[in-house]
Amino acid sequence: RAIVRELDRIKEQNPAMVSGGVPVQEIDPTLFESRFLKTIRDLGEGHFGKVELCLYDPHGDHSGQKVAVKSLKSESDGPECSNLRREINTMRELYHSNIVKYKGICTEEGGRTIKLIMEYLPAGSLKDYLPRHKAQTSQERLLLYAIQICQGMDYLGSQNYIHRDLAARNVLVESETLVKIGDFGLTKSIKNNEEYYTVREEQDSPVYWYAPECLIHRKFYKASDVWSFGVTLYELMTYCDRKMSPPEMFLSTIGRSHGQMTMARLVKALEGGWRLSCPPSCPDKVYIQMRRCWAHAPEDRVDFKGLIEEFECLLS
Ligand code: ADP
Ligand code: MG
């Protein structure tokens, strides 16, 4: 009897032992095994990485779940690889209804290559979705998306991250009434006392979404994300019409064939007060908010909380 009691005590302390006396292997649900990951199709491609739709099917009977998998285009362990690792570490810490959910990682070659596994959003990015669903998407709906993007961004800022690549191509559509921020590839964390992040590496940057201080001094503040949000709001209000895209509008203003000079001209135009103009049929009250995002000095810009209040007023 003493032995039985002793056994019960051990079982209580080690619940994993209980089922039939065979120890149950605790598995980490965020580790995906590469042999169970089946590619279905490509979802998108950036400069260094690509995103694929995969089926994670451990039972091998197509009962598995669809996931979006981000990996590097070339198998390298250069700076791009550490960018993907940083993106993984960022996403893993973010929990918000307007931010794409991290699911886990898949490592290969004994940890030499890594893939990011996230939830799959079938409708794709706003840039894919809006031109195709223009007829059924009212301006009120666009403002709802704007509020949701601001809520995700306000949360990101509260966690001391700067996104640095906010644009319609990086906002994903979960459903007609829910959008989420994705692509944290350029996101940087700021230490509590630092107000901005200075970029060191020379990288392909989404310059037409960037505030003057990013282009001139390579400094990124939370308010620089607000500027990029203003450009994203412009994209929303044009239903991401390619003919009116921010690069298109800028290049048609300053001319195309300036090569290396394009950046300098962009800076000059912005410093001279040039801004994207009000999109056709965009209400003045919405354009006023864009302009508040595009104040030259970061400290003069509205913040995400202020924008949420304004949009909620416009909707009520
Ligand atoms: P990159 O760093 O290469 O820009 P993104 O994360 O922006 O990578 O993804 C590129 C494209 O892939 C997006 O614009 C979108 O169309 C698609 N995509 C990315 N993540 C998902 C996802 N979770 N669900 C569905 N489509 C996605
Ligand atoms: Mg992207």
Side-chain angles (χ1 to χ4, degrees), residues 111-140:
R112 282 214 307 118
T113 63
I114 194 163
K115 292 175 174 179
L116 161 63
I117 318 284
M118 50 190 161
E119 64 173 329
Y120 165 57
L121 279 67
S125 78
L126 277 176
K127 208 176 161 185
D128 308 318
Y129 176 89
L130 282 181
R132 284 192 225 138
H133 296 82
K134 196 172 166 176
Q136 72 221 57
T137 310
S138 64
Q139 280 188 346
E140 285 71 32

Side-chain angles (χ1 to χ4, degrees), residues 80-111:
E80 299 85 53
C81 185
S82 60
N83 279 354
L84 182 59
R85 283 174 198 269
R86 193 183 51 216
E87 179 170 6
I88 289 168
N89 290 334
T90 304
M91 266 196 112
R92 193 161 38 204
E93 308 221 305
L94 301 174
Y95 306 94
H96 191 274
S97 49
N98 301 115
I99 288 182
V100 172
K101 277 200 194 75
Y102 166 87
K103 280 184 172 281
I105 54 165
C106 174
T107 57
E108 277 168 344
E109 300 168 44

Side-chain angles (χ1 to χ4, degrees), residues 261-273:
M261 285 297 290
T262 306
M263 261 283 281
R265 285 183 170 245
L266 174 58
V267 169
K268 212 164 160 238
L270 294 176
E271 285 188 314

Side-chain angles (χ1 to χ4, degrees), residues 56-278:
Y56 189 67
D57 200 31
H59 299 297
D61 58 359
H62 300 276
S63 65
Q65 55 171 327
K66 284 179 180 170
V67 291
V69 179
K70 191 168 192 168
S71 57
L72 294 174
K73 276 198 279 199
S74 59
E75 307 288 304
S76 70
D77 29 38
E80 299 85 53
C81 185
S82 60
N83 279 354
L84 182 59
R85 283 174 198 269
R86 193 183 51 216
E87 179 170 6
I88 289 168
N89 290 334
T90 304
M91 266 196 112
R92 193 161 38 204
E93 308 221 305
L94 301 174
Y95 306 94
H96 191 274
S97 49
N98 301 115
I99 288 182
V100 172
K101 277 200 194 75
Y102 166 87
K103 280 184 172 281
I105 54 165
C106 174
T107 57
E108 277 168 344
E109 300 168 44
R112 282 214 307 118
T113 63
I114 194 163
K115 292 175 174 179
L116 161 63
I117 318 284
M118 50 190 161
E119 64 173 329
Y120 165 57
L121 279 67
S125 78
L126 277 176
K127 208 176 161 185
D128 308 318
Y129 176 89
L130 282 181
R132 284 192 225 138
H133 296 82
K134 196 172 166 176
Q136 72 221 57
T137 310
S138 64
Q139 280 188 346
E140 285 71 32
R141 195 44 68 74
L142 297 177
L143 289 186
L144 176 73
Y145 298 161
I147 291 174
Q148 293 176 349
I149 298 167
C150 287
Q151 280 165 338
M153 290 304 295
D154 183 50
Y155 166 78
L156 197 67
S158 75
Q159 303 300 300
N160 283 310
Y161 285 109
I162 301 179
H163 190 284
R164 298 172 64 228
D165 199 8
L166 183 58
R169 62 181 175 277
N170 291 328
V171 177
L172 303 177
V173 180
E174 159 98 26
S175 73
E176 269 169 55
T177 55
L178 181 59
V179 297
K180 298 182 173 190
I181 301 163
D183 194 356
F184 292 88
L186 290 178
T187 304
K188 305 270 163 129
S189 139
I190 30 170
K191 307 252 156 50
N192 276 330
N193 294 321
E194 275 177 63
E195 243 194 288
Y196 62 81
Y197 176 82
T198 310
V199 209
R200 283 184 201 85
E201 75 270 39
E202 193 67 66
Q203 248 189 9
D204 257 312
S205 50
V207 290
Y208 300 102
W209 279 256
Y210 274 2
E213 69 274 8
C214 312
L215 299 168
I216 302 167
H217 308 294
R218 303 200 192 176
K219 284 178 178 173
F220 285 83
Y221 305 82
K222 287 181 190 179
S224 316
D225 273 343
V226 171
W227 178 293
S228 304
F229 170 78
V231 182
T232 308
L233 178 58
Y234 169 92
E235 293 183 278
L236 278 175
M237 300 314 292
T238 61
Y239 291 87
C240 295
D241 183 339
R242 273 155 218 273
K243 291 193 293 301
M244 283 186 271
S245 75
E248 217 22 70
M249 296 317 284
F250 179 72
L251 293 171
S252 65
T253 311
I254 64 142
R256 269 155 221 284
S257 49
H258 298 287
Q260 290 294 312
M261 285 297 290
T262 306
M263 261 283 281
R265 285 183 170 245
L266 174 58
V267 169
K268 212 164 160 238
L270 294 176
E271 285 188 314
W274 182 85
R275 297 292 185 268
L276 290 163
S277 47
C278 184

